[in-house]
Structures are given as structure tokens and as C-alpha cells.
Amino acid sequence: MTTKAIPGAVPEATAIRLQLRSWPEVESYLQQCKGVILPLGSTEQHGPTGAIGTDALTAEAVALEVGRRTGVLVTPTQAFGMAEHHLGFPGTVSLQPSTLQAVLRDVVLSLAGHGFERVFVINGHGGNIASAKAAFAEAYGEAHRRQLPGADRLQCRLSNWFMAGPVLREARQLYGDREGQHATPSEIALTLHLEPSLQRLQRPLPEPAPAGAIHGPADFRRRYPDGRMGSDPFLAQADHGARLLDLAATALSQDLTEFLGDELAT
Ligand code: NI
């Protein structure tokens, strides 16, 4: 992967954050690249030893690394996701599916209105998938009705970092069946790499409830009393997290490059 510089002589790590760019810089960027990365997370319980912000922290880290490698701008992280089933646990903050759909639709339409034509959503939470896809469909229709200049070229792609092939294979190799489906050692490992203070929470845990169905918050807490679904996050290590971040960023950078095609900065 060739690292492409975006306009303006600013440090690389700063350059890819939309928050740290001025509007003339964004205008200038758009003359060279119509792509943008949107990190999408969740703010929800991750078992008794995992950080509430796990899904947002991980999505943001992968997004910033993909941005650094490709030179594609990264928007602020949408840190509230669809986590209705986790509301039985303190600290969880959830958007209803229709709310998340409306938020993402408006974000995409804002970006499309300025000329962005490829919105690459890097997602850290399975519960967001349905709403994100519905939001894309809504944004396409609305962009068309508003007759936005690039409406017919607007494309969004949802890329779930934790489902990238190399990440799944590495998690399988490291943790086998102990990976589970929620508060997984792979996502916890990434947070330990990003935020070493979280090591203080790590401790051996009793056998988790097996992964299974997901319904409402009370039902979820009954089935999964400590919030885990078949996972053993005590297996997580910070160096695993560094490796998983690299694998995710490599896979998603390739995905993004393919998605952008000739829209990529030159
Ligand atoms: Ni998670």
C-alpha cells in the first residue's frame, strides 16, 4: 500500500483527522479525493472486565490507522450505536435502530452535499449493521431527491473490522472457541494495546454463559448474567491487540483502495 499524502504540509497523524482540518483544506482535499472514512462504534457493556467504550475505541483506532496508511480523511467517531439489548447493564448508552439510521443518513448526506462520493464506514459493533445498511439506502434515495451534484455516484460501504478474514483467523488461532461472541478477547486485546490502563481490570473470570439468542435487555441479562457471550477476555494481551490492529488495518486499507478505485488521492 502506498501512502498518499493529502494536501497541506501537516503531520500525517493530524492530516487525516477531519476535526483538525479547516474548510478550505477540505475543499482542496475534495479536488483530489472523494473518499472519507467514518468510524462507527458503540457505548455498551463489555463484560465485567471490558471497557464500555470498547467498540468505539477499536473502530476509531482501526479507522485512524487506515487513514494514516491511505491518506483518506477520517471523520469524528460516531460513538453511540444500537445497543438496546445491553441496556440492562450500567454505562450502556444506546440509540434506537431508527435513531442510528437517521444519524448515519444525515452524516452521509452532509458529506455528499460537499462532494464526497465514497463513504467508508469502519464499524466495531454487530448491532449497528442493520441500521447502517438501512441508512445507506435512505441516503441514496434522499441524495437523488435533493438532486445533490454527485447523487448518482454516491456509494457507502460498511466494513466490520472484527469480521475481516485475517482478523477472524488470528482470533481463532489465539483463542479458539474462547473467542465467543461478545466481550471477545480479540476486541479486549485491542483496547489493552490502545489504553494500557485497562490492564487493571483484567482478571480470571468464571465460565461464561454460552453464546445464543439476543432479544430485549432483561432477557439478555438473564441469559448472560455478567454480559459475556461465550468469551474469555482474560486471554487478551496487549501485544495480540497490536497484531490485530495491523491485520485489520491492512485488510481494510485494501478494501478501501478497491472501493475508492480512481477516486483515491493521487
Ligand atoms: Ni464489542
Side-chain angles (χ1 to χ4, degrees):
M1 166 75 49
T2 312
T3 300
K4 319 252 182 186
I6 69 172
V10 293
E12 202 174 30
T14 302
I16 47 109
R17 291 182 60 191
L18 178 68
Q19 282 169 303
L20 301 179
R21 305 296 290 199
S22 67
W23 73 257
E25 287 181 311
V26 176
E27 191 173 65
S28 163
Y29 169 92
L30 276 163
Q31 287 167 7
Q32 305 197 30
C33 181
K34 309 273 192 241
V36 65
I37 299 167
L38 167 60
L40 173 60
S42 184
T43 301
E44 65 183 45
Q45 69 85 13
H46 271 75
T49 58
I52 297 286
T54 295
D55 294 347
L57 293 166
T58 54
E60 181 169 83
V62 174
L64 289 172
E65 183 59 20
V66 171
R68 194 186 67 75
R69 293 184 188 192
T70 59
V72 175
L73 278 178
V74 180
T75 73
T77 300
Q78 173 56 34
F80 296 126
M82 201 299 285
E84 296 290 286
H85 47 296
H86 294 296
L87 281 172
F89 297 88
T92 298
V93 178
S94 175
L95 302 182
Q96 294 178 47
S98 56
T99 310
L100 178 60
Q101 182 180 329
V103 167
L104 293 175
R105 177 202 63 209
D106 287 356
V107 170
V108 169
L109 286 170
S110 299
L111 294 166
H114 304 310
F116 287 99
E117 295 174 359
R118 297 286 184 278
V119 181
F120 190 71
V121 179
I122 293 187
N123 178 39
H125 174 52
N128 291 337
I129 294 173
S131 298
K133 291 192 169 171
F136 297 164
E138 210 178 339
Y140 296 147
E142 186 60 20
H144 176 73
R145 280 188 291 277
R146 290 185 195 177
Q147 299 184 314
L148 297 183
D152 59 336
R153 292 185 299 277
L154 176 63
Q155 295 181 16
C156 305
R157 181 176 294 194
L158 186 67
S159 194
N160 306 296
W161 76 263
F162 53 97
M163 290 168 70
V167 171
L168 288 176
R169 282 191 289 279
E170 182 75 3
R172 166 67 54 177
Q173 199 163 10
L174 286 168
Y175 312 122
D177 291 340
R178 313 293 287 171
E179 168 77 350
Q181 287 186 18
H182 180 66
T184 64
S186 58
E187 61 181 339
I188 300 303
L190 184 38
T191 65
L192 294 176
H193 167 64
L194 299 171
E195 187 54 61
S197 72
L198 292 172
Q199 194 66 50
R200 79 188 191 283
L201 295 170
Q202 284 289 84
R203 60 182 163 83
L205 295 170
E207 198 60 19
I214 296 177
H215 302 291
D219 180 80
F220 189 100
R221 184 143 189 177
R222 259 195 311 276
R223 287 172 194 264
Y224 314 108
D226 76 358
R228 291 176 298 151
M229 299 175 70
S231 68
D232 185 359
F234 187 60
L235 298 173
Q237 294 180 19
D239 61 319
H240 300 165
R243 170 94 182 125
L244 290 161
L245 175 58
D246 180 58
L247 289 170
T250 301
L252 270 56
S253 294
Q254 283 168 0
D255 193 20
L256 173 59
T257 303
E258 187 268 328
F259 177 53
L260 293 182
D262 55 13
E263 302 282 352
L264 187 60
T266 51

